[in-house]
Amino acid sequence: MKPRFKLALFSAVAAGLVSLPSQAQSPAEKVYVPHGKHDEFYAFLSGGYNGQLSVYGLPSGRLLKVIPVFSVFPMNGYGYSEETKAMLMTSHGFIPWGDTHHPELSQTNGVPDGRWIFINENNTPRVARIDLKTFETTEIIEIPFSGGNHASAFTTPDTKYVTAATRFSVPIPQKDVPIAEYKKYFKGTLTFIRADKPGKMDIAFQILVPGYDYDLAHCGKGPSYGWCFFTSYNTEQAHTLLEINASMKDKDYIAAVNWKRAEECIAQGKYKEVKTKYAHNYRPEDTRIARTEWKTSVKWIIPKECPGVVYYLPTPKSPHGVDVTPDGKYIIGGGKLATVIPIHSFEKMINAIKNKQFAGEVEGIPILKYEAVNHCELPNPCLGPLHTEFDGRGHAFTSCFISSDVVYYDYKKCKILGHVPTYYSVGHLMIPGGDSAKPWGKYLLPMNKITKDVFLPTGPELPHAGQLYDISANVENTKPQFLLDLAELGEPHYAQAIPAKILAPKSQKIFELEKNKNPYVTRSEEEAKVVRKGNEVHVYMTAIRSHFVPDNIEGIKVGDTVYFHVTNIEQDWDIPHGFAVYGAKTSNLLIMPGETLTLKWKPEKPGVYPYYCTDFCSALHQEMQGYVRVSPADAKLPFKFKYGTGDEMHIVK
Ligand code: K7E
Ligand code: CUA
């Protein structure tokens, strides 16, 4: 290349006019997002045992946000403020922690649409909705008659339903029975939650199934629309030493659920309404005060009484993941103990049902013949296949836990194209849109369980490692290129990603003060006040750069319960204020512009206690402080507050 031409090409590339063929760029160039530019994708990674959802930019791997979902979050007061406590209410009372596994973006016509992202909680079975205008958890529904919700929260292509299922079968309904009588008493449930209306999440129905462990799910699309598929293991029905006793059989099942058929049975009254109690928590847009609604029953479908609602597809061996190809034609099981990757054909399954090619029946559920439904077995793929995603070009990528790699292949031809290594012990993997009808492809993110020496040591606990690969070139002839190691929070099981251009324009900047329907809102400093109701004191407080009104409060006594209702009266983007008071046994509040949040405080000793803004909001942020005086319980002090330059305190009548 002539030097002058080289220079011209360099400037053209730098100006973004010409893009070099993808493999010509180094990994560093491919993940570098220069100042002034933004990432191309939002990626949402579950936090596993941290109960949260992390938001990263791709390809940079920058951590943008942590969204609290099932765990309290002292950073912004989620689960601590009076407005958010009810989000974590369950039939077992308030639970401050959860175990998140599978985020799933809402879809329209099988394509992620950026309205919401759902995520499940395994330990105390629940499903949450996160609104992607505000990146906040706005709704959580509890799942009754379940012992661990793992096969969740997978959506139908129209977001009509999201799934849930019992990972650990339990006595249903719960009762005191000998564990040894597992086979007699323990059952599973497959749950369909109506999810397309915010604020109205509802359990549409539960299907009562044999007491196996139901592990993962994905719903059909295109030709397989109307069906969802759930893996099961422990069809041995072991209740002890499962690592041996639940690994006896060569094949377990994928349960194919015809939810359209289930809807018919419901419409025809072929169900049993069962009494129970579970929480539905919702934080509406106007008051932004979370409330718990107690639901009192669910509809059970018994497969015997609704023939055609469930079929079992034999699948080798203790399958974990189940994934449906973008065209909706194939169902891939991740037989974690199998030597092959089984690929079932939806068309064959429908024919096998028509022709009654059954190999038996359990509790009214026909078992289809393996040969009749299997499209092919991908031979010698790897060790420990778990989860599969798709690039939208006819290729599947399956993570392999034991051999620590990803195998990629043509799923129609059942032909392996190659492997890429992972460091180490990969779990889920993610391609943007990779479980939808139209994957964006471009990147592959395997998420690993073990890190060892990938990062600087941080004591006994190391971050999980994600590894970003470039798959923008067709993997038929170009090997995925390794780009970046990404340190992750908690244990990301699954993840989703969506182009930034879909989400970013909808991202909300402020809450409009005029539309704030919190009953304790204070819209201007003139409206600030302190109100006593017996032993309850309500402080109606405003926050704006760089002061609180009021900033001196007297007349509070030991024995009072004080509610600081703080309204951030700013209307500018990116100006939150924080609020914390000395000795409060709770977290701080982080109040967004136009929002009201409430901190509850029970002072225990007389004294004068400072409160202050915890978020550096202006050059005079350090001055954003106040005092609250606490007098003995029997004090006869007037009740008063102050803000401003005058000497007088406002006396409250
Ligand atoms: Cu494989 Cu919970 Cu989906 Cu972890 S799960 S990896
Ligand atoms: Cu407000 Cu710092």
Side-chain angles (χ1 to χ4, degrees):
M1 213 183 271
K2 294 221 174 86
R4 193 181 295 156
F5 178 67
K6 222 175 179 176
L7 192 68
L9 178 64
F10 174 80
S11 346
V13 169
L17 301 173
V18 173
S19 62
L20 290 171
S22 77
Q23 295 288 29
Q25 277 179 297
S26 71
E29 287 169 301
K30 284 186 180 176
V31 301
Y32 180 62
V33 178
H35 181 76
K37 289 255 177 352
H38 291 154
D39 274 298
E40 187 183 351
F41 289 96
Y42 284 96
F44 297 88
L45 278 62
S46 80
Y49 44 71
N50 78 9
Q52 296 160 345
L53 182 66
S54 314
V55 187
Y56 289 83
L58 291 184
S60 73
R62 292 168 182 159
L63 176 65
L64 303 177
K65 194 183 184 78
V66 175
I67 303 172
V69 187
F70 296 107
S71 294
V72 294
F73 199 52
M75 187 176 120
N76 68 2
Y78 179 82
Y80 293 95
S81 66
E82 296 306 298
E83 285 77 7
T84 56
K85 276 180 182 170
M87 290 304 289
L88 301 179
M89 186 52 70
T90 74
S91 61
H92 308 271
F94 177 89
I95 295 186
W97 170 88
D99 181 18
T100 52
H101 280 244
H102 309 114
E104 174 101 323
L105 289 156
S106 57
Q107 299 184 353
T108 303
N109 296 324
V111 179
D113 56 23
R115 285 181 292 168
W116 314 298
I117 189 162
F118 301 96
I119 193 164
N120 65 316
E121 204 275 277
N122 189 65
N123 185 52
T124 305
R126 282 172 286 173
V127 167
R129 180 201 308 273
I130 291 134
D131 188 318
L132 291 177
K133 289 197 303 290
T134 56
F135 288 66
E136 287 179 335
T137 306
T138 53
E139 193 170 5
I140 293 180
I141 191 160
E142 195 181 356
I143 319 294
F145 303 119
S146 174
N149 176 33
H150 195 258
S152 183
F154 300 99
T155 180
T156 55
D158 46 9
T159 319
K160 184 169 188 183
Y161 299 112
V162 294
T163 61
T166 342
R167 169 153 165 221
F168 315 113
S169 281
V170 283
I172 288 180
Q174 270 291 4
K175 60 184 158 204
D176 168 23
V177 296
I179 298 167
E181 292 184 42
Y182 183 105
K183 286 188 187 171
K184 182 167 169 200
Y185 292 108
F186 287 45
K187 286 263 173 298
T189 49
L190 309 178
T191 303
F192 285 72
I193 303 158
R194 191 73 199 253
D196 48 356
K197 297 192 187 88
K200 301 248 159 34
M201 267 178 140
D202 195 23
I203 294 180
F205 52 86
Q206 293 191 309
I207 302 171
L208 227 62
V209 283
Y212 309 150
D213 290 43
Y214 293 86
D215 206 9
L216 274 141
H218 260 105
C219 293
K221 51 207 165 214
S224 52
Y225 177 78
W227 293 75
C228 292
F229 305 91
F230 299 77
T231 45
S232 68
Y233 62 99
N234 192 21
T235 54
E236 295 86 350
Q237 297 189 283
H239 55 82
T240 178
L241 212 65
L242 263 66
E243 59 177 322
I244 297 165
N245 294 334
S247 309
M248 311 295 271
K249 290 193 184 172
D250 269 351
K251 293 193 174 67
D252 296 273
Y253 303 122
I254 287 174
V257 174
N258 182 341
W259 57 259
K260 287 265 181 191
R261 174 73 187 128
E263 286 177 341
E264 280 171 17
C265 291
I266 295 285
Q268 294 161 2
K270 290 180 191 160
Y271 65 86
K272 194 171 146 195
E273 185 111 21
V274 206
K275 291 258 166 295
T276 181
K277 184 186 169 191
Y278 55 104
H280 171 234
N281 308 322
Y282 178 51
R283 195 171 179 209
E285 271 179 50
D286 54 357
T287 64
R288 295 183 46 72
I289 299 177
R291 294 267 183 257
T292 300
E293 168 200 6
W294 293 105
K295 302 229 176 203
T296 54
S297 72
V298 288
K299 295 184 173 78
W300 274 359
I301 291 178
I302 320 283
K304 254 189 205 135
E305 290 154 25
C306 176
V309 74
V310 191
Y311 296 91
Y312 277 145
L313 281 56
T315 301
K317 171 176 188 175
S318 299
H320 185 52
V322 55
D323 297 278
V324 181
T325 53
D327 55 20
K329 291 184 179 168
Y330 301 98
I331 302 127
I332 302 182
K336 59 186 191 275
L337 302 178
T339 52
V340 296
I341 293 177
I343 304 177
H344 297 313
S345 152
F346 179 74
E347 197 185 331
K348 282 181 128 187
M349 183 192 92
I350 293 298
N351 288 332
I353 292 171
K354 260 192 217 134
N355 302 329
K356 298 205 162 41
Q357 290 173 283
F358 300 144
E361 192 198 282
V362 229
E363 299 184 23
I365 301 170
I367 302 167
L368 294 165
K369 282 199 176 130
Y370 180 70
E371 304 71 36
V373 296
N374 188 256
H375 165 64
C376 69
E377 292 180 337
L378 188 73
N380 303 314
C382 59
L383 297 176
L386 293 184
H387 299 288
T388 303
E389 291 261 295
F390 306 94
D391 67 355
R393 291 170 158 152
H395 310 128
F397 295 72
T398 300
S399 57
C400 306
F401 179 83
I402 298 171
S403 49
S404 280
D405 61 354
V406 172
V407 56
Y408 54 100
Y409 49 97
D410 180 321
Y411 54 79
K412 265 181 226 154
K413 294 188 193 143
C414 223
K415 184 180 149 217
I416 294 182
L417 300 169
H419 295 80
V420 288
T422 61
Y423 311 99
Y424 305 89
S425 302
V426 58
H428 272 273
L429 73 183
M430 182 275 285
I431 292 172
D435 69 339
S436 76
K438 281 211 184 95
W440 286 282
K442 194 147 185 179
Y443 297 109
L444 166 72
L445 180 71
M447 287 162 276
N448 306 327
K449 301 298 176 194
I450 294 165
T451 302
K452 300 284 187 203
D453 52 1
V454 174
F455 301 116
L456 282 176
T458 52
E461 199 217 349
L462 300 170
H464 288 243
Q467 293 185 294
L468 194 68
Y469 278 88
D470 179 0
I471 54 162
S472 55
N474 193 329
V475 294
E476 297 269 347
N477 28 48
T478 315
K479 221 176 156 49
Q481 185 190 13
F482 175 68
L483 299 180
L484 183 73
D485 287 306
L486 196 121
E488 300 160 337
L489 298 181
E491 177 180 347
H493 291 264
Y494 189 38
Q496 295 265 282
I498 186 165
K501 63 173 191 279
I502 297 178
L503 276 199
K506 300 196 303 185
S507 197
Q508 195 166 317
K509 294 191 161 72
I510 59 161
F511 295 102
E512 283 176 60
L513 198 51
E514 279 143 52
K515 292 192 182 156
N516 182 330
K517 294 244 171 72
N518 187 306
Y520 298 100
V521 63
T522 311
R523 286 198 178 78
S524 67
E525 296 183 350
E526 291 68 44
E527 290 173 30
K529 60 186 173 186
V530 182
V531 176
R532 178 182 284 285
K533 281 189 193 158
N535 283 343
E536 259 183 31
V537 177
H538 293 271
V539 182
Y540 293 70
M541 186 182 281
T542 60
I544 195 166
R545 281 161 291 177
S546 299
H547 54 263
F548 293 108
V549 176
D551 68 356
N552 284 192
I553 303 167
E554 296 191 353
I556 286 166
K557 294 181 273 188
V558 171
D560 286 344
T561 300
V562 184
Y563 293 88
F564 294 98
H565 307 288
V566 189
T567 302
N568 177 347
I569 57 174
E570 308 268 3
Q571 291 286 267
D572 286 331
W573 189 28
D574 199 25
I575 308 290
H577 292 287
F579 180 81
V581 58
Y582 183 104
K585 291 171 183 160
T586 179
S587 78
N588 89 144
L589 305 172
L590 193 66
I591 312 140
M592 297 303 128
E595 183 181 36
T596 305
L597 288 178
T598 301
L599 186 145
K600 181 178 169 184
W601 182 54
K602 275 188 141 183
E604 287 172 356
K605 284 176 250 168
V608 178
Y609 296 85
Y611 53 88
Y612 71 105
C613 171
T614 52
D615 183 335
F616 209 110
C617 49
S618 77
L620 295 169
H621 154 83
Q622 287 304 81
E623 282 71 14
M624 197 163 172
Q625 63 169 56
Y627 289 110
V628 51
R629 175 180 171 188
V630 177
S631 304
D634 56 358
K636 291 266 159 9
L637 280 174
F639 191 47
K640 51 193 186 173
F641 68 91
K642 177 175 184 335
Y643 165 69
T645 47
D647 289 337
E648 287 306 304
M649 303 261 300
H650 302 270
I651 310 282
V652 179
K653 287 146 219 153

